[in-house]
C-alpha cells in the first residue's frame, strides 16, 4: 500500500542523498508571556522562535530536512513529532519510545528525507506542551509543482487557547468539576430539557445511568487562526486561493464554512484527492485539508472555523470591502442522543449521491467527516492476495472520572500490539463512548475502508470516529521499530487512550519504552462546604484507578468548634468501572453512640444516577446510603442523601447549591443531626 502511496499519490522519483538539497531550520522552544491579541492578558506560554504557532517549514519533495530543535526551557524536557511525515523510526520524535527527549539547555538534530508532498505539521509529544503552544506547520511541495495551480497558497493553523495551565485543565477534568460545561453553555438541566421539549430524553438518559453528554471537554478562552482570532488573507478579490488548513487544537473539532459558498477539497492529510465540494467541513484534531476558495470580485468574505460545540470561532477574511459573514452553525442538541447516534449509524454505510450538486443539497447542518466521498487520485488497495491481520479496538472511557482507553485498558495496563512486517493490518475501530475521537497512527498511512471496499479509498494518517460509530482502517506493516497509535484529543491520550504497534522482528524479549506515555499521575482535589451549622467535604489524591481520601462531617453549636460533633473517614477507594468501586478505611468519631472503627464496603451507581453504598465495620455494624443530585438550572442544583447505620440509625440531609464560579457556590442545607444552615461550598 505504501508503494501505491509513494509511486502514485505522491509521484515519487527516487533521488540519492548525494544530489538532494539539504534544507536547514533551527527551532527554539522557550517560555514567555504571550497572548493572542493586544486586549488579552498575557499568560505563560511555550513558543517556537518567539511565536505561536511556530514557523512554517517549507520543503520540496526529495529534499533532506535538517532541523535543530533547541530546548531553551529552564526545567522541562521537550520533543517534536513530525506529524504525518514518513520518517525513520528514530526521527519520529516520541520521547523515549523512538527518540531521546530533549533536555533543558540542549539541542537535538533531526535529519530525514522528504519522501512525499503535502500539508503536515509538527508538535511536542511531551506532557501537555502542545496545548501551551508547541506546534507549527509543514509544507512539502511536489517535485512537479502544486496542482491545481491557484493565485495564492496559504497555511491556516487552527488551535484552541486557554489562560489556564494545561496541568490545571487536566486536574479539572479529572475532578469532575462541571465549570467548563457551564462556561460553554452546555450544562444540561431540568429546566433546559423542559424548554427544549426533551423531558423524556432527559429522564431516559438518567435512567440509563449515562452522565450528561457534551461535545467537547474544555471551555477555551479563544479559538485561533495562525495565533490570532482573526486573520486577513493575502488573497485579493477575483483570485482563487489554496488554504492549507491544519487543526492543531488540543481538544477542539472545527467546522469550516465560507461566506463565498462551497469549499473544494483537493487534499486530505497530505495526499491529493479527487476534488469534491462541501458546504461545511468537519476537521478533527490533527487532520489537514487543502481547500480551494474563489474570492468574489468585490467585498471581504469570511471563512469561519467554528468550534464543534458552538462555544466560539475564529475567522479568515478574504478580499477587501464590505464584510460578508459566514453562516452560523446550529448548536448541537445535547439533550437528545438519538441525533448523534443516528448520524454515526448512517455514516457506516452511506449511499454517495450520483452527482456533486446532489451531495451538496443533502448535506446536514452538522455533517460528519466527508470520508464517504473522499477518493484517492490513484489505486490504494494492496490486493486480496496479501495476508491480513484484523485487530478490534473498542474506544472506552469514563467522562466523570476522565479515564480513556482501548478495550477498557489504558496504555499503562496493556500497551503493545505486536505486528509482523509485510502483513496488512486491519483495525476494526468501535466507539463505545459519546464523544468524537481523532485517532492518529505514527509512521504509516492507512486506507479508510467501508462496506464498498473501494480500490481508491482515501489515504490518511488521522481518522475521526464519531460517537457510538464504527470505522475500519488498514495499513501495510512495512516499517520497523515501535510506532504510537493514539487519540489526538490531547487529554484523552494523556489519560491512556493509546497503543504501540511493535514490530516482532525486534525479538521476543523486546519491550517498548513508553516513557511518560504510560505514567498514571496522581492529582489532588478537595471539595466541600463551610456552613453556619456544619462542614462536610472530601480531600482526595486520585489517579485513574485509586482514591486516597479524607472525608469529614463536622457539626458545631454557636460557631464553637470545641463543641463540634465530628466523623472523619480516612480511606482508599478502588475504581473498577463507571458504576462500581470498592472502599476500605478507618472512621474516627466523637459521637457518644459510636467509637473509632475500621470499615470496608462497595459503592454502586443505580439507575437515574443515584449513588448507593454498603459498608460493614469492625464492630459488626452495617451502613447503607443513597444520594442524588439534580441540576435544575445551569446554576442551581438540588441534592439529597439518606443513610441508615445499624448503630447510629437514620441520618439524612437535603439542600441546594447555586454556582458562582469555578471554585465556589452558595449552599443551603438541612441536616437531620445539625439542623438548618447556609454558607459557601468550594472545589479546589
Amino acid at each position: 500500500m505504501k508503494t501505491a502511496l509513494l509511486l502514485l499519490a505522491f509521484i515519487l522519483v527516487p533521488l540519492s542523498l548525494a544530489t538532494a538539497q539539504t534544507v536547514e531550520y533551527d527551532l527554539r522552544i522557550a517560555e514567555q508571556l504571550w497572548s493572542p491579541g493586544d486586549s488579552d492578558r498575557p499568560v505563560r506560554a511555550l513558543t517556537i522562535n518567539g511565536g505561536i504557532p511556530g514557523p512554517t517549514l517549507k520543503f520540496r519533495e526529495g529534499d533532506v530536512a535538517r532541523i535543530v530543535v533547541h530546548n531553551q526551557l529552564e526545567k522541562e524536557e521537550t520533543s517534536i513529532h513530525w506529524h504525518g511525515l514518513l520518517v525513520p523510526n528514530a526521527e519520529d520524535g516520541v520521547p523515549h519510545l523512538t527518540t531521546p527527549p530533549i533536555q533543558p539547555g540542549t539541542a537535538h538534530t533531526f535529519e530525514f528525507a522528504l519522501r512525499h508532498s503535502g500539508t503536515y505539521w509538527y508538535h511536542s509529544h511531551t506532557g501537555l506542551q502542545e496545548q501551551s503552544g508547541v506546534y507549527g506547520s509543514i509544507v512539502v511541495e511536489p517535485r512537479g509543482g502544486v496542482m491545481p495551480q491557484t493565485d495564492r497558497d496559504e497555511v491556516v493553523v487552527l488551535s484552541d487557547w486557554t489562560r489556564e495551565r494545561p496541568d490545571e485543565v487536566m486536574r479539572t477534568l479529572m475532578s469532575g468539576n462541571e465549570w467548563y460545561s457551564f462556561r460553554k453553555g452546555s450544562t444540561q438541566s431540568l429546566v433546559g430539557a423542559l424548554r427544549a421539549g426533551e423531558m423524556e430524553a432527559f429522564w431516559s438518559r438518567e435512567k440509563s445511568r449515562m452522565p450528561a453528554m457534551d461535545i467537547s471537554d474544555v471551555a477555551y478562552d479563544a479559538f485561533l487562526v495562525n495565533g490570532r482570532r482573526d486573520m486577513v488573507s493575502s488573497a485579493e478579490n477575483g483570485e482563487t486561493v489554496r488554504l492549507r488548513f491544519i487543526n492543531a487544537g488540543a481538544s477542539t473539532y472545527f467546522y469550516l464554512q465560507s461566506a463565498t459558498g462551497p469549499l473544494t477539497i483537493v487534499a486530505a492529510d497530505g495526499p491529493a484527492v479527487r476534488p469534491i465540494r462541501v458546504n461545511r467541513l468537519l476537521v478533527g484534531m490533527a487532520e489537514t485539508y487543502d481547500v480551494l476558495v474563489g474570492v468574489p470580485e468585490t467585498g471581504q468574505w469570511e471563512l469561519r472555523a467554528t468550534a464543534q460545540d458552538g462555544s466560539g470561532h475564529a475567522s479568515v477574511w478574504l478580499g477587501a470591502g464590505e464584510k460578508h459573514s459566514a453562516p452560523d452553525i446550529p448548536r448541537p442538541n445535547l439533550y437528545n442522543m438519538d441525533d448523534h447516534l443516528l448520524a454515526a449509524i448512517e455514516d457506516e454505510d452511506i449511499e454517495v449521491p450520483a452527482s456533486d450538486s446532489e451531495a451538496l443539497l443533502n448535506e446536514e447542518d452538522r455533517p460528519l467527516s466527508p470520508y464517504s466521498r473522499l477518493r484517492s487520485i490513484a489505486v490504494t488497495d494492496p490486493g486480496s492476495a496479501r495476508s491480513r491481520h484484523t485487530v478490534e479496538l473498542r474506544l472506552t472511557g469514563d467522562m466523570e472520572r476522565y479515564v480513556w482507553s482501548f478495550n477498557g485498558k489504558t496504555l499503562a495496563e496493556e500497551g503493545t500490539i505486536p505486528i509482523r512486517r509485510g502483513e496488512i493490518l486491519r483495525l476494526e475501530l468501535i466507539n463505545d463512548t459519546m464523544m468524537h475521537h481523532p485517532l492518529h497512527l505514527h509512521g504509516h498511512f492507512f486506507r479508510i475502508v467501508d462496506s464498498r471496499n473501494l480500490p481508491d479509498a482515501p489515504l490518511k494518517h488521522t481518522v475521526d470516529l464519531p460517537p457510538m460509530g464504527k470505522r475500519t482502517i488498514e495499513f501495510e506493516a512495512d516499517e520497523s521499530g515501535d510506532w504510537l497509535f493514539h487519540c489526538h484529543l490531547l487529554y484523552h491520550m494523556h489519560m491512556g487512550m493509546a497503543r504501540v504497534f511493535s514490530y516482532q522482528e525486534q525479538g521476543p524479549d523486546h519491550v517498548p519504552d513508553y516513557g511518560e506515555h504510560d505514567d498514571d499521575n496522581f492529582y489532588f482535589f478537595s471539595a466541600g462546604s463551610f456552613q453556619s451549622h456544619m462542614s462536610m467535604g472530601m480531600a482526595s489524591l486520585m489517579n485513574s484507578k485509586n482514591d486516597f481520601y479524607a472525608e469529614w462531617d463536622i457539626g458545631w453549636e454557636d460557631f464553637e468548634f470545641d463543641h463540634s460533633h465530628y466523623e472523619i473517614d480516612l480511606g482508599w477507594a478502588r475504581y473498577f468501572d463507571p458504576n462500581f468501586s470498592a472502599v476500605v478505611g478507618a472512621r474516627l468519631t466523637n459521637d457518644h453512640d459510636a467509637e473509632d472503627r475500621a470499615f470496608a464496603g462497595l459503592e454502586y451507581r443505580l439507575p437515574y444516577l443515584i449513588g448507593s453504598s454498603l459498608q460493614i465495620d469492625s464492630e459488626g455494624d452495617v451502613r447503607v446510603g443513597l444520594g442524588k443530585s439534580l441540576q435544575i438550572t445551569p446554576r442551581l442544583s438540588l441534592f439529597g442523601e439518606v443513610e441508615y447505620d445499624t448503630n447510629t440509625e437514620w441520618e439524612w440531609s437535603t439542600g441546594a447549591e447555586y454556582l458562582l464560579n469555578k471554585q465556589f457556590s452558595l449552599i443551603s442545607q438541612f441536616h437531620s443531626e445539625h439542623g438548618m444552615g447556609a454558607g459557601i461550598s468550594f472545589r479546589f
Side-chain angles (χ1 to χ4, degrees), residues 424-440:
I424 303 297
L425 195 72
R426 174 167 285 196
L427 301 182
E428 302 286 352
L429 304 171
I430 304 169
N431 189 355
D432 289 337
T433 80
M434 286 303 296
M435 291 197 71
H436 284 258
H437 298 276
L439 302 178
H440 170 53

Side-chain angles (χ1 to χ4, degrees), residues 221-287:
D221 295 295
F223 299 102
L224 308 178
V225 285
N226 292 349
R228 293 292 181 264
R229 289 181 172 85
D230 293 271
M231 162 190 161
V232 178
S233 168
S234 63
E236 299 179 358
N237 295 98
E239 293 184 334
T240 297
V241 60
R242 182 188 193 110
L243 296 175
R244 300 173 180 265
F245 280 97
I246 300 166
N247 186 351
S251 64
T252 303
Y253 279 74
F254 289 97
Y255 282 114
L256 301 183
Q257 185 162 2
S258 178
T260 61
L263 307 170
T264 300
I265 301 173
V266 294
D269 281 2
V273 296
R274 297 177 189 174
I276 62 169
R277 295 189 307 150
V278 293
N279 281 325
R280 189 169 290 162
L281 173 60
L282 179 65
V283 185
M285 288 80 81
E287 290 189 300

Side-chain angles (χ1 to χ4, degrees), residues 97 391 393 406-407 409-419 481-485 498-504 506-508 510-514 518:
L97 183 68
V391 174
L393 289 177
F406 287 118
N407 297 339
K409 294 184 181 297
T410 65
L411 179 70
E413 296 171 303
E414 186 178 287
T416 301
I417 299 175
I419 58 176
D482 299 316
W483 298 94
L484 194 60
F485 177 69
R499 287 293 185 271
V500 170
F501 287 108
S502 184
Y503 279 83
Q504 291 179 323
Q506 299 175 93
H510 172 72
V511 178
D513 184 350
Y514 301 133
D518 67 347

Side-chain angles (χ1 to χ4, degrees), residues 193-205:
L194 183 63
R195 289 175 175 171
E198 297 285 2
M199 287 293 286
E200 182 178 351
F202 179 89
W203 288 113
S204 176
R205 175 188 60 75

Side-chain angles (χ1 to χ4, degrees), residues 107-389:
H108 182 89
T109 300
F110 293 86
E111 186 166 324
F112 48 84
L114 279 306
R115 301 159 56 187
H116 51 88
S117 61
T119 304
Y120 305 98
W121 64 299
Y122 59 93
H123 60 84
S124 172
H125 235 293
T126 299
L128 303 173
Q129 291 179 353
E130 182 188 323
Q131 177 75 90
S132 294
V134 187
Y135 53 85
S137 52
I138 300 171
V139 174
V140 184
E141 291 192 3
R143 199 172 274 104
V146 178
M147 296 297 292
Q149 294 183 353
T150 57
D151 300 300
R152 306 278 176 172
D153 190 318
E154 292 185 297
V155 173
V156 183
V157 180
L158 307 174
S159 59
D160 38 37
W161 177 251
T162 173
R163 287 192 290 267
E164 290 187 293
R165 286 177 174 263
D167 282 341
E168 174 58 21
V169 174
M170 185 79 259
R171 199 178 72 89
T172 300
L173 294 172
M174 286 193 67
S175 72
N177 191 319
E178 297 295 334
W179 175 246
Y180 291 154
S181 293
F182 175 80
R183 272 192 61 193
K184 295 186 299 178
S186 59
T187 302
Q188 291 192 41
S189 67
L190 201 61
V191 171
L194 183 63
R195 289 175 175 171
E198 297 285 2
M199 287 293 286
E200 182 178 351
F202 179 89
W203 288 113
S204 176
R205 175 188 60 75
E206 293 251 326
K207 182 180 180 180
S208 65
R209 301 187 293 185
M210 291 190 67
M213 188 180 70
D214 200 356
I215 298 295
S216 63
D217 296 343
V218 183
Y220 283 102
D221 295 295
F223 299 102
L224 308 178
V225 285
N226 292 349
R228 293 292 181 264
R229 289 181 172 85
D230 293 271
M231 162 190 161
V232 178
S233 168
S234 63
E236 299 179 358
N237 295 98
E239 293 184 334
T240 297
V241 60
R242 182 188 193 110
L243 296 175
R244 300 173 180 265
F245 280 97
I246 300 166
N247 186 351
S251 64
T252 303
Y253 279 74
F254 289 97
Y255 282 114
L256 301 183
Q257 185 162 2
S258 178
T260 61
L263 307 170
T264 300
I265 301 173
V266 294
D269 281 2
V273 296
R274 297 177 189 174
I276 62 169
R277 295 189 307 150
V278 293
N279 281 325
R280 189 169 290 162
L281 173 60
L282 179 65
V283 185
M285 288 80 81
E287 290 189 300
T288 75
Y289 283 96
D290 291 14
V291 302
L292 305 186
V293 180
V295 186
E297 294 293 338
T298 60
Q300 190 175 45
W301 302 78
E302 182 187 26
L303 197 161
R304 185 182 297 179
T306 302
Q308 188 189 23
D309 63 4
S311 61
H313 69 269
S315 302
V316 178
W317 292 94
L318 306 163
E322 181 183 355
K323 285 194 171 184
H324 300 268
S325 297
D328 292 329
I329 295 176
R331 290 186 71 116
N333 179 4
L334 297 177
Y335 289 97
N336 196 326
M337 295 179 290
D338 291 344
D339 294 344
H340 306 274
L341 297 176
L342 184 61
I345 293 171
E346 291 179 345
D347 184 65
E348 292 170 18
D349 197 19
I350 190 169
E351 290 294 330
V352 179
S355 69
D356 197 54
S357 59
E358 186 182 348
L360 285 168
L361 290 173
N362 290 339
E363 268 192 4
E364 300 293 334
D365 287 337
R366 298 177 59 82
L368 296 178
S369 300
Y371 303 151
S372 62
R373 295 176 56 207
L374 289 180
R375 300 287 185 275
S376 172
I377 62 173
V379 173
T380 59
D381 189 350
S384 58
R386 303 288 297 276
S387 63
R388 280 175 167 80
H389 175 206

